[in-house]
Amino acid sequence: MQPNQSPGKLTAKVISSIDDYFKVINYDIVLVQGDITTVMAVSLVAFYHKIKVGSVEAGLGTFKIFSVSEEMNRVLTSRIAEPHLL
């Protein structure tokens, strides 16, 4: 994280970094947990590489994608991940 870093810049940085990593190492499954912006970005890149994703959700979603800044990231991750553990 950087001071005053936007979610978009963080997402771009994570996607770029993890994409290079997944090109080198072949995984059967990736388990994601933590900062939901990072979780979503890693899940998306794993999906692009046809790697299964398991997600451990730390909180409950609101299902109001514009009221909570990271709710859409939770929604996207839950669609990619199987299992998605609450």
Side-chain angles (χ1 to χ4, degrees):
M1 293 295 296
Q2 301 292 322
N4 301 314
Q5 181 172 255
S6 72
K9 294 225 188 244
L10 173 61
T11 302
K13 185 182 284 187
V14 171
I15 286 174
S16 178
S17 297
I18 203 72
D19 188 57
D20 291 340
Y21 190 74
F22 283 168
K23 287 176 186 173
V24 175
I25 299 177
N26 296 317
Y27 290 99
D28 294 322
I29 189 168
V30 173
L31 182 63
V32 293
Q33 188 273 330
D35 163 62
I36 195 63
T37 299
T38 303
V39 163
M40 182 277 303
V42 171
S43 298
L44 186 60
V45 175
F47 172 79
Y48 291 155
H49 285 271
K50 298 182 179 8
I51 300 169
K52 292 181 182 180
V53 176
S55 172
V56 179
E57 178 63 57
L60 297 176
T62 65
F63 304 104
K64 298 177 182 177
I65 62 170
F66 293 110
S67 66
V68 178
S69 63
E70 293 187 333
E71 182 60 22
M72 182 51 82
N73 293 342
R74 276 190 262 290
V75 171
L76 293 171
T77 300
S78 70
R79 292 299 307 260
I80 294 170
E82 191 174 313
H84 180 74
L85 308 170
L86 298 175

XYZ file of all heavy atoms in Angstrom:
665
model
N 0.842 -1.179 0.000
C 0.000 0.000 0.000
C 0.888 1.243 0.000
O 1.964 1.253 0.569
C -0.893 0.015 1.238
C -1.939 -1.086 1.291
S -3.199 -0.980 0.003
C -4.002 0.552 0.387
N 0.376 2.263 -0.631
C 1.032 3.563 -0.682
C 0.090 4.595 -0.071
O -1.129 4.433 -0.151
C 1.341 3.951 -2.133
C 2.227 2.985 -2.871
C 3.647 2.981 -2.329
O 4.169 4.017 -1.973
N 4.248 1.810 -2.255
N 0.633 5.668 0.503
C -0.248 6.720 1.016
C -1.150 7.260 -0.101
O -0.704 7.461 -1.235
C 0.727 7.796 1.502
C 2.007 7.074 1.746
C 2.041 5.950 0.739
N -2.416 7.449 0.218
C -3.407 8.013 -0.710
C -3.558 7.213 -2.004
O -3.936 7.767 -3.030
C -3.081 9.473 -1.033
C -3.048 10.323 0.212
O -3.933 10.225 1.053
N -2.017 11.132 0.340
N -3.247 5.941 -1.973
C -3.364 5.093 -3.161
C -4.835 4.766 -3.415
O -5.553 4.357 -2.515
C -2.589 3.797 -2.936
C -2.605 2.842 -4.091
C -1.676 1.687 -3.863
O -0.616 1.642 -4.447
N -2.036 0.782 -2.994
N -5.276 4.921 -4.632
C -6.660 4.629 -4.973
C -6.849 3.122 -5.131
O -5.897 2.396 -5.421
C -7.037 5.330 -6.275
O -6.403 4.693 -7.371
N -8.083 2.646 -4.962
C -8.333 1.215 -5.192
C -7.968 0.792 -6.614
O -7.496 -0.321 -6.826
C -9.838 1.072 -4.947
C -10.185 2.208 -4.046
C -9.270 3.337 -4.446
N -8.157 1.676 -7.583
C -7.805 1.350 -8.963
C -6.314 1.130 -9.146
O -5.889 0.195 -9.827
N -5.507 1.996 -8.543
C -4.040 1.840 -8.656
C -3.580 0.579 -7.943
O -2.698 -0.131 -8.432
C -3.344 3.072 -8.101
C -3.608 4.306 -8.926
C -2.346 5.060 -9.156
C -2.695 6.363 -9.815
N -2.182 6.528 -11.118
N -4.162 0.300 -6.775
C -3.808 -0.923 -6.057
C -4.174 -2.142 -6.889
O -3.368 -3.068 -7.046
C -4.518 -0.986 -4.704
C -4.365 -2.301 -3.936
C -2.900 -2.589 -3.617
C -5.201 -2.277 -2.676
N -5.372 -2.152 -7.460
C -5.821 -3.269 -8.276
C -4.885 -3.495 -9.460
O -4.475 -4.627 -9.739
C -7.262 -3.038 -8.766
O -8.115 -2.873 -7.624
C -7.755 -4.197 -9.607
N -4.530 -2.422 -10.142
C -3.623 -2.536 -11.296
C -2.265 -3.097 -10.887
O -1.704 -3.955 -11.580
C -3.448 -1.173 -11.961
N -1.746 -2.630 -9.765
C -0.436 -3.095 -9.294
C -0.483 -4.582 -8.933
O 0.414 -5.352 -9.300
C 0.006 -2.270 -8.081
C 1.410 -2.600 -7.604
C 1.782 -1.799 -6.370
C 2.105 -0.377 -6.759
N 2.647 0.415 -5.631
N -1.529 -4.992 -8.229
C -1.648 -6.401 -7.836
C -1.815 -7.290 -9.064
O -1.161 -8.323 -9.187
C -2.823 -6.602 -6.852
C -3.086 -8.086 -6.610
C -2.545 -5.889 -5.537
N -2.687 -6.886 -9.991
C -2.905 -7.685 -11.198
C -1.618 -7.861 -11.981
O -1.271 -8.967 -12.393
C -4.022 -7.067 -12.066
C -5.375 -7.327 -11.412
C -3.979 -7.623 -13.489
C -6.541 -6.649 -12.097
N -0.881 -6.786 -12.170
C 0.372 -6.857 -12.917
C 1.386 -7.764 -12.229
O 2.024 -8.603 -12.867
C 0.946 -5.450 -13.083
O 2.171 -5.500 -13.760
N 1.521 -7.615 -10.922
C 2.508 -8.406 -10.176
C 2.147 -9.879 -10.133
O 2.990 -10.745 -10.366
C 2.641 -7.877 -8.745
O 3.112 -6.560 -8.750
N 0.901 -10.182 -9.809
C 0.514 -11.583 -9.632
C 0.427 -12.308 -10.969
O 0.688 -13.508 -11.046
C -0.789 -11.702 -8.806
C -0.885 -13.071 -8.140
C -2.017 -11.449 -9.647
C 0.055 -13.285 -7.010
N 0.102 -11.597 -12.038
C 0.064 -12.215 -13.362
C 1.444 -12.760 -13.733
O 1.563 -13.895 -14.206
C -0.416 -11.213 -14.410
C -0.644 -11.864 -15.754
O -1.447 -12.820 -15.827
O -0.028 -11.415 -16.735
N 2.478 -11.982 -13.496
C 3.847 -12.449 -13.764
C 4.188 -13.664 -12.910
O 4.829 -14.601 -13.383
C 4.859 -11.324 -13.496
C 4.757 -10.201 -14.509
O 4.202 -10.416 -15.606
O 5.227 -9.080 -14.202
N 3.763 -13.671 -11.675
C 4.044 -14.768 -10.751
C 3.344 -16.050 -11.215
O 3.944 -17.130 -11.212
C 3.585 -14.362 -9.350
C 4.022 -15.280 -8.255
C 5.337 -15.300 -7.811
C 3.120 -16.129 -7.647
C 5.739 -16.143 -6.785
C 3.504 -16.966 -6.622
C 4.816 -16.972 -6.199
O 5.215 -17.799 -5.187
N 2.078 -15.935 -11.621
C 1.329 -17.115 -12.059
C 1.847 -17.672 -13.377
O 1.575 -18.823 -13.706
C -0.163 -16.797 -12.182
C -0.896 -16.729 -10.858
C -2.174 -16.214 -10.797
C -0.322 -17.171 -9.685
C -2.865 -16.142 -9.602
C -0.983 -17.107 -8.472
C -2.267 -16.600 -8.444
N 2.588 -16.890 -14.147
C 3.192 -17.389 -15.378
C 4.354 -18.333 -15.084
O 4.685 -19.194 -15.887
C 3.687 -16.228 -16.238
C 2.574 -15.444 -16.895
C 3.133 -14.261 -17.647
C 2.026 -13.386 -18.195
N 2.541 -12.148 -18.791
N 4.979 -18.162 -13.920
C 6.166 -18.934 -13.555
C 5.813 -20.187 -12.767
O 6.412 -21.235 -12.958
C 7.142 -18.049 -12.731
C 8.328 -18.848 -12.239
C 7.588 -16.857 -13.547
N 4.839 -20.069 -11.877
C 4.485 -21.182 -11.000
C 3.081 -21.660 -11.350
O 2.152 -20.870 -11.443
C 4.549 -20.755 -9.519
C 5.976 -20.323 -9.176
C 4.088 -21.886 -8.616
C 6.156 -19.807 -7.783
N 2.930 -22.968 -11.518
C 1.628 -23.552 -11.831
C 0.962 -24.050 -10.556
O 1.516 -24.887 -9.853
C 1.785 -24.722 -12.813
C 2.330 -24.271 -14.134
O 1.918 -23.249 -14.659
N 3.284 -25.013 -14.668
N -0.222 -23.540 -10.289
C -0.982 -23.938 -9.114
C -2.239 -24.686 -9.530
O -2.805 -24.411 -10.589
C -1.427 -22.700 -8.306
C -0.302 -21.984 -7.626
C 0.263 -20.845 -8.195
C 0.195 -22.430 -6.414
C 1.293 -20.181 -7.558
C 1.218 -21.766 -5.776
C 1.769 -20.640 -6.354
O 2.786 -19.986 -5.729
N -2.703 -25.593 -8.667
C -3.992 -26.240 -8.865
C -5.107 -25.370 -8.280
O -6.213 -25.331 -8.797
C -4.026 -27.615 -8.197
C -3.069 -28.589 -8.860
O -2.943 -28.537 -10.103
O -2.457 -29.389 -8.143
N -4.799 -24.717 -7.163
C -5.777 -23.868 -6.483
C -5.032 -22.774 -5.729
O -3.898 -22.972 -5.290
C -6.677 -24.681 -5.521
C -7.838 -23.815 -5.001
C -5.866 -25.331 -4.423
C -8.929 -24.602 -4.296
N -5.666 -21.626 -5.611
C -5.130 -20.505 -4.845
C -6.146 -20.166 -3.769
O -7.346 -20.035 -4.062
C -4.897 -19.271 -5.752
C -4.503 -18.069 -4.933
C -3.860 -19.573 -6.808
N -5.711 -20.047 -2.521
C -6.574 -19.654 -1.421
C -6.342 -18.181 -1.138
O -5.201 -17.762 -0.928
C -6.265 -20.494 -0.177
C -7.131 -20.234 1.040
C -8.593 -20.575 0.744
C -6.625 -21.042 2.222
N -7.420 -17.392 -1.159
C -7.308 -15.950 -0.949
C -8.052 -15.537 0.312
O -9.114 -16.072 0.625
C -7.831 -15.155 -2.165
C -6.937 -15.365 -3.376
C -9.263 -15.515 -2.502
N -7.470 -14.585 1.026
C -8.072 -14.052 2.246
C -7.367 -12.756 2.563
O -6.161 -12.638 2.363
C -7.928 -15.053 3.398
C -8.675 -14.703 4.665
C -7.894 -13.804 5.601
O -6.678 -13.836 5.644
N -8.599 -12.986 6.341
N -8.060 -11.777 3.037
C -7.430 -10.525 3.441
C -8.103 -9.317 2.836
O -9.320 -9.316 2.627
N -7.329 -8.295 2.547
C -7.833 -7.064 1.948
C -8.635 -7.417 0.700
O -8.113 -8.044 -0.218
C -6.652 -6.153 1.591
C -7.038 -5.072 0.619
O -7.902 -4.252 0.978
O -6.491 -5.054 -0.498
N -9.892 -7.040 0.647
C -10.787 -7.520 -0.402
C -10.408 -7.012 -1.788
O -10.653 -7.686 -2.784
C -12.271 -7.237 -0.063
C -13.216 -8.044 -0.963
C -12.574 -5.757 -0.118
C -13.117 -9.523 -0.830
N -9.782 -5.858 -1.889
C -9.331 -5.389 -3.204
C -8.229 -6.300 -3.734
O -8.251 -6.711 -4.893
C -8.859 -3.927 -3.127
O -9.952 -3.112 -2.697
C -8.349 -3.434 -4.461
N -7.289 -6.648 -2.883
C -6.216 -7.563 -3.265
C -6.774 -8.950 -3.559
O -6.388 -9.600 -4.535
C -5.145 -7.630 -2.162
O -4.661 -6.313 -1.916
C -3.999 -8.541 -2.546
N -7.698 -9.414 -2.717
C -8.332 -10.719 -2.907
C -9.013 -10.794 -4.269
O -8.869 -11.769 -5.006
C -9.334 -10.996 -1.761
C -10.303 -12.112 -2.112
C -8.589 -11.313 -0.482
N -9.777 -9.759 -4.624
C -10.474 -9.741 -5.914
C -9.485 -9.758 -7.071
O -9.654 -10.496 -8.038
C -11.377 -8.510 -6.007
C -12.194 -8.409 -7.293
S -11.333 -7.706 -8.733
C -10.822 -6.108 -8.137
N -8.423 -8.958 -6.973
C -7.435 -8.884 -8.054
C -6.733 -10.228 -8.247
O -6.569 -10.691 -9.380
C -6.422 -7.779 -7.765
N -6.332 -10.864 -7.167
C -5.674 -12.172 -7.260
C -6.650 -13.213 -7.811
O -6.288 -14.024 -8.666
C -5.105 -12.604 -5.889
C -4.615 -14.052 -5.929
C -3.982 -11.673 -5.461
N -7.890 -13.173 -7.352
C -8.902 -14.113 -7.843
C -9.122 -13.958 -9.343
O -9.232 -14.953 -10.072
C -10.232 -13.891 -7.115
O -10.096 -14.130 -5.741
N -9.180 -12.733 -9.808
C -9.400 -12.478 -11.223
C -8.242 -13.009 -12.077
O -8.459 -13.667 -13.098
C -9.589 -10.983 -11.452
C -9.979 -10.549 -12.855
C -11.309 -11.166 -13.276
C -10.047 -9.030 -12.922
N -7.019 -12.765 -11.628
C -5.859 -13.254 -12.394
C -5.796 -14.781 -12.353
O -5.496 -15.413 -13.367
C -4.547 -12.618 -11.881
C -3.347 -13.207 -12.593
C -4.587 -11.106 -12.068
N -6.101 -15.378 -11.227
C -6.135 -16.837 -11.149
C -7.177 -17.388 -12.131
O -6.917 -18.358 -12.847
C -6.449 -17.294 -9.731
N -8.331 -16.736 -12.186
C -9.371 -17.123 -13.145
C -8.844 -17.054 -14.575
O -9.055 -17.965 -15.379
C -10.588 -16.221 -12.963
C -11.634 -16.386 -14.012
C -12.525 -17.450 -13.965
C -11.731 -15.480 -15.050
C -13.501 -17.597 -14.941
C -12.699 -15.621 -16.031
C -13.582 -16.690 -15.977
N -8.143 -15.982 -14.917
C -7.570 -15.844 -16.253
C -6.594 -16.971 -16.578
O -6.477 -17.380 -17.730
C -6.841 -14.508 -16.403
C -7.728 -13.295 -16.415
C -7.212 -12.061 -16.030
C -9.058 -13.343 -16.810
C -8.005 -10.920 -16.051
C -9.855 -12.216 -16.821
C -9.324 -11.009 -16.447
O -10.098 -9.892 -16.459
N -5.895 -17.463 -15.553
C -4.924 -18.542 -15.744
C -5.553 -19.925 -15.549
O -4.835 -20.924 -15.505
C -3.741 -18.359 -14.782
C -2.812 -17.269 -15.189
N -1.742 -17.475 -16.020
C -2.808 -15.936 -14.893
C -1.104 -16.329 -16.211
N -1.739 -15.377 -15.537
N -6.887 -19.954 -15.393
C -7.621 -21.207 -15.208
C -7.172 -21.959 -13.950
O -7.067 -23.192 -13.937
C -7.539 -22.093 -16.442
C -8.157 -21.445 -17.673
C -8.114 -22.362 -18.859
C -8.716 -21.838 -20.125
N -9.146 -20.531 -20.293
N -6.895 -21.182 -12.899
C -6.529 -21.732 -11.597
C -7.752 -21.595 -10.695
O -8.357 -20.521 -10.609
C -5.338 -20.969 -10.984
C -4.113 -21.056 -11.895
C -5.015 -21.516 -9.596
C -2.984 -20.114 -11.493
N -8.119 -22.677 -10.023
C -9.244 -22.625 -9.096
C -8.914 -21.694 -7.928
O -7.761 -21.579 -7.526
C -9.573 -24.014 -8.568
C -10.141 -24.927 -9.626
C -10.467 -26.274 -9.037
C -10.985 -27.199 -10.118
N -11.316 -28.514 -9.604
N -9.948 -21.067 -7.399
C -9.790 -20.126 -6.291
C -10.671 -20.552 -5.130
O -11.850 -20.863 -5.308
C -10.182 -18.691 -6.717
C -10.114 -17.734 -5.539
C -9.294 -18.203 -7.853
N -10.090 -20.580 -3.944
C -10.839 -20.755 -2.706
C -10.751 -19.455 -1.935
O -9.688 -18.856 -1.842
N -11.873 -18.996 -1.420
C -11.900 -17.705 -0.727
C -12.409 -17.882 0.697
O -13.390 -18.590 0.931
C -12.822 -16.727 -1.466
O -13.004 -15.546 -0.723
N -11.742 -17.233 1.631
C -12.190 -17.185 3.018
C -12.622 -15.746 3.277
O -11.791 -14.840 3.322
C -11.075 -17.603 4.002
C -11.576 -17.513 5.429
C -10.566 -18.997 3.676
N -13.928 -15.538 3.402
C -14.480 -14.199 3.587
C -14.397 -13.812 5.051
O -14.815 -14.560 5.930
C -15.937 -14.173 3.114
C -16.629 -12.856 3.296
C -16.001 -11.724 2.493
O -15.903 -11.850 1.265
O -15.607 -10.726 3.109
N -13.853 -12.631 5.301
C -13.660 -12.162 6.668
C -14.898 -11.472 7.233
O -15.036 -11.332 8.438
C -12.480 -11.200 6.722
N -15.812 -11.017 6.369
C -16.985 -10.301 6.861
C -18.197 -10.598 6.010
O -18.127 -11.314 5.024
N -19.300 -10.028 6.401
C -20.538 -10.229 5.658
C -20.744 -9.103 4.669
O -20.463 -7.946 4.954
C -21.724 -10.284 6.631
C -21.689 -11.435 7.626
C -22.856 -11.314 8.598
C -21.748 -12.773 6.905
N -21.266 -9.440 3.513
C -21.529 -8.436 2.497
C -22.832 -7.708 2.742
O -23.719 -8.203 3.431
N -22.942 -6.531 2.155
C -24.155 -5.731 2.289
C -25.060 -5.886 1.082
O -26.230 -5.566 1.149
C -23.827 -4.234 2.408
O -23.232 -3.793 1.187
C -22.905 -3.961 3.574
N -24.508 -6.343 -0.038
C -25.205 -6.471 -1.315
C -25.649 -5.110 -1.868
O -26.496 -5.037 -2.728
C -26.379 -7.450 -1.226
C -25.949 -8.806 -0.730
C -26.211 -9.204 0.569
C -25.232 -9.663 -1.557
C -25.782 -10.442 1.026
C -24.811 -10.905 -1.102
C -25.081 -11.285 0.191
N -25.079 -4.042 -1.350
C -25.334 -2.687 -1.848
C -24.021 -2.191 -2.443
O -23.196 -1.607 -1.752
C -25.809 -1.779 -0.723
C -27.120 -2.244 -0.114
C -27.520 -1.371 1.049
C -28.803 -1.900 1.658
N -29.211 -1.135 2.825
N -23.830 -2.430 -3.750
C -22.520 -2.243 -4.361
C -22.021 -0.808 -4.364
O -20.832 -0.584 -4.476
C -22.465 -2.834 -5.784
C -23.463 -2.148 -6.704
C -22.661 -4.336 -5.756
C -23.307 -2.517 -8.165
N -22.889 0.171 -4.233
C -22.426 1.556 -4.236
C -22.368 2.156 -2.835
O -21.835 3.243 -2.653
C -23.290 2.421 -5.148
C -23.145 2.048 -6.600
C -24.182 1.445 -7.277
C -21.951 2.276 -7.275
C -24.046 1.082 -8.605
C -21.806 1.915 -8.599
C -22.853 1.317 -9.262
N -22.898 1.476 -1.829
C -22.895 2.047 -0.488
C -21.613 1.742 0.278
O -21.218 2.496 1.153
C -24.104 1.560 0.308
O -24.010 0.176 0.549
N -20.991 0.637 -0.031
C -19.733 0.254 0.622
C -18.698 0.101 -0.486
O -18.907 -0.649 -1.440
C -19.883 -1.065 1.413
C -18.569 -1.467 2.049
C -20.978 -0.941 2.453
N -17.588 0.799 -0.353
C -16.638 0.895 -1.461
C -16.103 -0.445 -1.959
O -15.767 -0.576 -3.131
C -15.472 1.805 -1.074
O -14.759 1.254 0.011
N -16.025 -1.448 -1.118
C -15.435 -2.710 -1.553
C -16.459 -3.817 -1.787
O -16.093 -4.953 -2.049
C -14.396 -3.161 -0.537
C -13.200 -2.223 -0.493
C -12.090 -2.743 0.384
O -12.364 -3.497 1.332
O -10.939 -2.402 0.117
N -17.743 -3.502 -1.741
C -18.766 -4.542 -1.891
C -18.691 -5.242 -3.244
O -18.850 -6.454 -3.332
C -20.159 -3.957 -1.672
C -21.265 -4.981 -1.754
C -21.163 -6.106 -0.734
O -20.501 -5.930 0.313
O -21.734 -7.176 -0.981
N -18.449 -4.513 -4.324
C -18.368 -5.158 -5.636
C -17.202 -6.139 -5.686
O -17.306 -7.198 -6.312
C -18.246 -4.130 -6.762
C -18.210 -4.762 -8.146
S -19.530 -5.947 -8.493
C -20.833 -4.848 -8.927
N -16.106 -5.821 -5.015
C -14.977 -6.760 -4.969
C -15.388 -8.063 -4.287
O -14.966 -9.143 -4.694
C -13.786 -6.131 -4.253
C -13.196 -4.986 -5.037
O -13.426 -4.854 -6.235
N -12.446 -4.142 -4.372
N -16.214 -7.976 -3.241
C -16.716 -9.176 -2.578
C -17.604 -9.986 -3.527
O -17.514 -11.211 -3.584
C -17.525 -8.800 -1.333
C -16.715 -8.577 -0.105
C -17.608 -8.464 1.116
N -17.882 -7.090 1.504
C -17.003 -6.248 2.020
N -15.764 -6.637 2.189
N -17.350 -5.043 2.365
N -18.467 -9.290 -4.267
C -19.375 -9.958 -5.202
C -18.579 -10.682 -6.287
O -18.836 -11.848 -6.595
C -20.362 -8.944 -5.817
C -21.155 -9.575 -6.954
C -21.290 -8.386 -4.755
N -17.609 -10.006 -6.887
C -16.797 -10.613 -7.946
C -16.028 -11.821 -7.427
O -15.983 -12.869 -8.080
C -15.843 -9.584 -8.540
C -16.495 -8.446 -9.316
C -15.461 -7.379 -9.660
C -17.173 -8.963 -10.566
N -15.422 -11.679 -6.256
C -14.660 -12.788 -5.678
C -15.561 -13.981 -5.405
O -15.192 -15.126 -5.693
C -13.958 -12.346 -4.382
O -13.066 -11.270 -4.679
C -13.181 -13.496 -3.754
N -16.748 -13.733 -4.893
C -17.648 -14.854 -4.576
C -18.097 -15.594 -5.833
O -18.370 -16.793 -5.782
C -18.860 -14.370 -3.778
O -19.715 -13.589 -4.569
N -18.162 -14.911 -6.982
C -18.534 -15.565 -8.239
C -17.393 -16.403 -8.796
O -17.609 -17.425 -9.450
C -18.947 -14.529 -9.289
C -20.239 -13.801 -9.004
C -21.441 -14.744 -8.934
N -21.579 -15.592 -10.100
C -22.393 -15.391 -11.107
N -23.194 -14.363 -11.092
N -22.432 -16.225 -12.124
N -16.147 -15.970 -8.564
C -14.972 -16.684 -9.078
C -14.615 -17.874 -8.193
O -14.246 -18.934 -8.691
C -13.774 -15.720 -9.199
C -14.047 -14.663 -10.258
C -12.487 -16.493 -9.498
C -13.031 -13.529 -10.278
N -14.709 -17.691 -6.892
C -14.207 -18.684 -5.927
C -15.171 -19.846 -5.726
O -16.387 -19.677 -5.684
C -13.956 -18.010 -4.585
N -14.567 -21.016 -5.622
C -15.299 -22.205 -5.209
C -14.324 -23.129 -4.532
O -13.440 -23.668 -5.202
C -15.946 -22.899 -6.401
C -16.907 -23.965 -5.971
C -17.680 -24.568 -7.137
O -18.199 -23.820 -7.964
O -17.708 -25.799 -7.172
N -14.305 -23.251 -3.263
C -15.357 -22.800 -2.374
C -15.187 -21.341 -1.955
O -14.089 -20.803 -1.981
C -15.213 -23.706 -1.148
C -13.738 -23.978 -1.100
C -13.295 -24.036 -2.546
N -16.320 -20.722 -1.610
C -16.335 -19.379 -1.032
C -16.857 -19.559 0.395
O -18.041 -19.781 0.597
C -17.256 -18.456 -1.847
C -17.310 -17.072 -1.310
N -16.266 -16.179 -1.473
C -18.275 -16.422 -0.642
C -16.606 -15.039 -0.897
N -17.810 -15.165 -0.395
N -15.957 -19.491 1.337
C -16.290 -19.792 2.742
C -16.575 -18.499 3.503
O -15.771 -17.582 3.503
C -15.145 -20.549 3.399
C -14.671 -21.786 2.648
C -13.390 -22.314 3.234
C -15.746 -22.842 2.630
N -17.728 -18.457 4.146
C -18.099 -17.273 4.930
C -17.782 -17.494 6.389
O -17.785 -18.532 6.905
C -19.581 -16.973 4.778
C -20.011 -16.642 3.355
C -21.529 -16.490 3.298
C -19.367 -15.356 2.888
